[in-house]
Amino acid sequence: MTARVDHAVTSGTFSLDGQSFDVDNNVFVVGDDTECVVIDAPHDVDAIRRAVAGRRVVAVLATHAHDDHVRVAPGLAKATGAPVLLHPADRVLWDLVHPDLPPDGTLADGQGIDFAGTTLRVLHTPGHSPGACSFHAPDLGVVFTGDTLFAGGPGATGRSYSDFGTIVASIRDRLLTLPPQTVVHTGHGDDTTIGAEAPHLPDWLARGH
């Protein structure tokens, strides 16, 4: 059975630095009919479980630890028995959301996560947050970039623990080097491709944010 990508959108809020915003978050479930991983657990355990559709969840992977990406991660882990995995550099943000409940395990650059006959390769892509990660599935021709790369440019870097120069370096060195036909599944909004975004790097640098 070939692995596939299923998609759900959940709605809630994002809060940091004393501000709160209404947001819609993408949730991606990658797997076959038997097992899967969930990428990000934003707002609604039941909506994510509907996308899982009874499959065994191997892991809940956090692209980063802003509250609108991990708010229900412990609840989803409890409901599915799957570990929540986070890059340790984002623990400072995780602890703002779940101060008494650590993630179950860590992510590391270059790590391979094997399931459902495919592999997700962890790419540490800091900038939006210190431990932001993208997940590349070469067999499927996709990369999950969280809030690092969107259709139209880099993710936001105007808040605590973020840096524009770092995110641009991550995108330039880790993401734009992927095959141009690679589909980019983002944390919010529409998909894009590496080839569609790569020509705009000079514009992003000139824009400076």
Side-chain angles (χ1 to χ4, degrees):
M1 186 69 66
T2 303
R4 65 183 186 275
V5 178
D6 294 310
H7 174 226
V9 177
T10 67
S11 300
T13 60
F14 162 62
S15 300
L16 187 66
D17 296 335
Q19 295 181 296
S20 186
F21 307 90
D22 292 331
V23 288
D24 296 327
N25 283 68
N26 293 323
V27 178
F28 295 101
V29 180
V30 189
D32 58 17
D33 288 344
T34 303
E35 62 180 15
C36 63
V37 300
V38 175
I39 299 176
D40 287 341
H43 312 290
D44 186 335
V45 169
D46 290 338
I48 298 170
R49 292 186 72 187
R50 285 193 292 272
V52 168
R55 290 173 281 178
R56 182 175 76 88
V57 181
V58 173
V60 179
L61 308 178
T63 60
H64 62 294
H66 284 153
D67 63 349
D68 62 320
H69 291 257
V70 299
R71 182 174 287 114
V72 301
L76 183 63
K78 184 177 180 179
T80 62
V84 178
L85 306 183
L86 175 75
H87 193 284
D90 254 23
R91 183 64 187 270
V92 62
L93 288 164
W94 173 278
D95 287 347
L96 295 175
V97 188
H98 303 295
D100 302 316
L101 196 62
D104 301 299
T106 59
L107 297 168
D109 186 57
Q111 175 182 352
I113 301 168
D114 300 317
F115 61 98
T118 193
T119 300
L120 285 182
R121 186 69 57 188
V122 179
L123 305 176
H124 183 211
T125 49
H128 182 68
S129 69
C133 288
S134 300
F135 305 104
H136 181 216
D139 291 349
L140 303 179
V142 302
V143 63
F144 303 88
T145 58
D147 290 4
T148 296
L149 177 63
F150 291 110
T157 53
R159 302 185 179 92
S160 296
Y161 308 107
S162 64
D163 181 77
F164 178 73
T166 303
I167 199 172
V168 167
S170 292
I171 293 169
R172 181 191 63 222
D173 299 339
R174 308 307 307 278
L175 298 177
L176 298 186
T177 55
L178 298 176
Q181 68 271 22
T182 303
V183 174
V184 179
H185 293 303
T186 66
H188 308 269
D190 296 334
D191 295 342
T192 183
T193 65
I194 293 298
E197 300 306 320
H200 301 292
L201 178 61
D203 299 333
W204 306 337
L205 291 169
R207 191 171 70 196
H209 62 84

